[in-house]
Amino acid sequence: MSEKINQQQIGAFLDALASKAPTPGGGSVAALSGAMAAGLVSMVCALTIGKKQFADIEEEVRGIYNQSEQLRQELLDLAQADIEVFERLSAAYKLPKTTEADAASRKAAIQTVTRQAADVPLRTARAASALLPLCASLATRCGRLVVSDVGVAALLARSTVQSALLNVEINLAALDDHLYVHEVRARIEDLTIGLAEETLGVTEIVRGRINQ
Amino acid sequence: MSEKINQQQIGAFLDALASKAPTPGGGSVAALSGAMAAGLVSMVCALTIGKKQFADIEEEVRGIYNQSEQLRQELLDLAQADIEVFERLSAAYKLPKTTEADAASRKAAIQTVTRQAADVPLRTARAASALLPLCASLATRCGRLVVSDVGVAALLARSTVQSALLNVEINLAALDDHLYVHEVRARIEDLTIGLAEETLGVTEIVRGRINQ
């Protein structure tokens, strides 16, 4: 798939996803779902900025908007990066291994690219996790008509973190560098702790305001 | 936005989402995230069907594939339907209300369209929830290289159900027909019960196979 992900039509992207083509896969989908979460946060900010009744929080909301727009771009780039690293990984597995020297350099190439393949979803998880405090800030104070959008953003951010981390783990399982694996497992732990509670905190506020 | 969602480029869709344009919003995003989950289920099936080592489950996987492809189309259609019903709802709110008769027919129109606006995400939640048993069937038996994709599908399916239900609830809050609201609340309960456990069941199998 040579067309960049942002230029692909949604229908064609979903068709390629559902096919046995090697890309896109779960890593890109996770990042894209995070980009949609970021887009919802930006939308809620855009509908808040410039309105008289929200004048007292306008500066803060502008700050949230800048962060969510940066995260949206980053997550879209990570969806593309996931496709590219997967292609490099497939290429590495196809390297010759007939001689001992070939086999050794193939193995080294696979290790290098697998590490990159773990790093991309790790960055996806980190970016999506940075959306949750933004959702929490907006949930209590945004307009009531868009409060469900904040809830959807938080739910998608959480599943993006969890989905991306599964993609980190499957790559870690193929890595020999135990020190690196150990370090990444610690980061996975950091990104997982409190994730469910943070999301529930947002959705409870959202549900409370919907039914108030 | 007159272009159908499946023909929109991903970048342009995300830009429209992040803007203050009235559509797309959380309801379409929830449905689209469900369509991606369905696409991942189909992908895993497509990579299983026709392979010698999976011959004994091929018939069953074909059945799963047919269901996930149907759900993928349904969820993409619901992403579009959500945009259209939101546009009808905005139009209903803009109806004249100067005379008493106008106000009464405006109110009736709003009630009718709000009910449709609750029904669309309810169908989204139901379709996404139908993906979870498919993920559970695949998780134990699909190829180990795609097991993380099954996990991502389950995580996205869950957040689609929860996100769509927030969109149902925000519309219910504006409805006067208490019998209908009561019925829908019962369906929300049905779709919520066991959802977290069902998803965790899939991700635990996935994580177990990743680290085996």
Side-chain angles (χ1 to χ4, degrees):
Chain A
M1 201 182 284
S2 54
E3 204 175 32
K4 295 274 180 198
I5 198 168
N6 61 321
Q7 291 169 335
Q8 283 173 46
Q9 289 186 339
I10 288 175
F13 173 83
L14 288 169
D15 289 344
L17 177 64
S19 76
K20 55 181 162 182
T23 61
S28 314
V29 161
L32 210 49
S33 143
M36 295 199 294
L40 282 169
V41 171
S42 297
M43 178 190 87
V44 170
C45 292
L47 289 165
T48 306
I49 294 166
K51 289 209 173 146
K52 247 189 300 185
Q53 72 265 44
F54 299 116
D56 56 325
I57 57 166
E58 176 154 335
E59 271 316 294
E60 191 190 340
V61 173
R62 277 185 198 281
I64 295 175
Y65 178 78
N66 291 340
Q67 288 178 71
S68 60
E69 283 295 273
Q70 249 176 31
L71 292 167
R72 179 164 75 91
Q73 186 60 54
E74 189 180 337
L75 286 157
L76 184 57
D77 291 344
L78 286 163
Q80 178 66 32
D82 196 90
I83 290 172
E84 288 167 9
V85 79
F86 192 88
E87 284 165 356
R88 284 203 302 281
L89 193 58
S90 302
Y93 273 100
K94 282 174 194 149
L95 287 172
K97 51 177 175 176
T98 34
T99 71
E100 222 167 278
D102 277 353
S105 66
R106 173 179 176 271
K107 198 185 163 192
I110 290 172
Q111 288 293 311
T112 303
V113 188
T114 302
R115 197 162 156 157
Q116 295 163 0
D119 187 55
V120 171
L122 187 61
R123 283 189 284 153
T124 300
R126 205 179 290 133
S129 123
L131 287 169
L132 283 164
L134 308 185
C135 295
S137 291
L138 290 172
T140 45
R141 294 169 301 166
C142 67
R144 192 175 158 273
L145 288 174
V146 291
V147 75
S148 59
D149 296 301
V150 176
V152 174
L155 289 164
L156 286 185
R158 181 197 55 186
S159 64
T160 297
V161 174
Q162 295 176 315
S163 297
L165 291 180
L166 283 182
N167 282 277
V168 177
E169 286 186 58
I170 203 164
N171 285 298
L172 288 189
L175 281 177
D176 294 338
D177 181 342
H178 295 296
L179 184 63
Y180 177 77
V181 170
H182 187 75
E183 276 173 21
V184 175
R185 288 211 189 280
R187 291 195 217 156
I188 292 177
E189 190 75 11
D190 289 344
L191 286 161
T192 308
I193 286 176
L195 179 67
E197 293 74 12
E198 202 176 358
T199 310
L200 190 66
V202 175
T203 55
E204 286 303 301
I205 292 168
V206 168
R207 202 163 275 122
R209 290 191 63 198
I210 285 175
N211 296 307
Q212 86 196 356
Chain B
M1 201 183 289
S2 56
E3 202 175 33
K4 296 274 182 197
I5 197 169
N6 61 321
Q7 290 168 334
Q8 282 173 47
Q9 288 186 339
I10 287 174
F13 173 84
L14 288 169
D15 289 343
L17 177 64
S19 77
K20 56 180 163 184
T23 62
S28 313
V29 161
L32 209 50
S33 142
M36 294 199 295
L40 281 170
V41 171
S42 296
M43 178 191 85
V44 171
C45 293
L47 289 165
T48 306
I49 293 167
K51 288 211 174 145
K52 249 189 299 184
Q53 72 265 44
F54 299 116
D56 55 325
I57 57 166
E58 175 153 336
E59 271 316 294
E60 192 191 340
V61 173
R62 276 186 197 282
I64 294 174
Y65 179 77
N66 291 339
Q67 287 176 72
S68 61
E69 283 296 272
Q70 250 176 33
L71 292 167
R72 178 163 76 93
Q73 186 60 56
E74 190 180 335
L75 286 157
L76 185 57
D77 291 344
L78 286 162
Q80 178 65 33
D82 196 89
I83 290 172
E84 289 167 9
V85 80
F86 191 88
E87 284 166 356
R88 286 203 301 280
L89 194 57
S90 302
Y93 273 99
K94 282 174 196 152
L95 287 173
K97 50 179 176 175
T98 35
T99 71
E100 221 168 279
D102 276 353
S105 67
R106 173 179 177 273
K107 197 185 162 190
I110 290 172
Q111 287 293 310
T112 304
V113 187
T114 301
R115 197 162 156 155
Q116 294 163 0
D119 188 55
V120 170
L122 188 61
R123 283 188 284 150
T124 300
R126 204 180 291 132
S129 122
L131 287 169
L132 283 165
L134 308 184
C135 294
S137 291
L138 289 172
T140 45
R141 292 170 301 167
C142 67
R144 191 173 158 274
L145 289 175
V146 291
V147 75
S148 59
D149 296 301
V150 175
V152 174
L155 289 164
L156 286 185
R158 182 198 56 186
S159 64
T160 298
V161 174
Q162 294 176 314
S163 298
L165 292 180
L166 282 182
N167 282 278
V168 177
E169 286 184 59
I170 202 163
N171 285 297
L172 288 189
L175 281 177
D176 295 336
D177 181 344
H178 295 297
L179 184 63
Y180 177 77
V181 170
H182 187 76
E183 277 173 20
V184 174
R185 288 212 189 279
R187 289 195 219 157
I188 291 176
E189 189 77 11
D190 290 344
L191 285 161
T192 307
I193 286 176
L195 179 67
E197 293 74 9
E198 202 176 357
T199 310
L200 191 66
V202 175
T203 55
E204 285 303 301
I205 292 168
V206 167
R207 201 162 277 123
R209 290 192 63 199
I210 285 175
N211 295 309
Q212 85 195 355

